[in-house]
Amino acid sequence: ASRPTSPVNDTSRIRKLLNALAVKPVDLVNKLDQLFLHNSMSASMRTQLLDTLNNIPADNPELRSQTALYLVLALGQDQVQR
């Protein structure tokens, strides 16, 4: 029988995935849109996120992914309420 995955391991895997995607901000935004907004992100939100992420140095994928996640979760509520 397989053991249940601990939330800590899941969080670590998600963080690694997002950091890997952060090299190409459009991929990161697409994944966050899929995971948290069910592909309902508005064009203006997508543009704002990409502008913000492209201003973060590419050699800092962790900051890119953390910023993107924070903004999607904080701003995404407006998307969900529509």
Side-chain angles (χ1 to χ4, degrees):
S2 64
R3 291 187 350 216
T5 305
S6 97
V8 172
N9 289 340
D10 283 347
T11 301
S12 177
R13 285 192 348 223
I14 291 169
R15 188 172 58 240
K16 286 178 185 176
L17 169 67
L18 296 180
N19 287 347
L21 291 172
V23 173
K24 191 172 176 189
V26 69
D27 290 343
L28 176 60
V29 170
N30 288 340
K31 179 54 79 176
L32 292 172
D33 182 23
Q34 176 190 22
L35 290 173
F36 297 104
L37 301 176
H38 307 288
N39 296 314
S40 68
M41 185 180 294
S42 69
S44 64
M45 181 177 176
R46 181 177 300 278
T47 299
Q48 289 174 344
L49 277 170
L50 289 172
D51 287 348
T52 299
L53 297 177
N54 284 319
N55 282 312
I56 298 172
D59 64 352
N60 196 343
E62 190 167 352
L63 180 59
R64 276 184 171 181
S65 65
Q66 287 174 348
T67 301
L69 180 60
Y70 172 79
L71 290 173
V72 166
L73 294 177
L75 302 175
Q77 184 63 29
D78 290 337
Q79 296 290 315
V80 173
Q81 288 180 354
R82 282 190 196 179

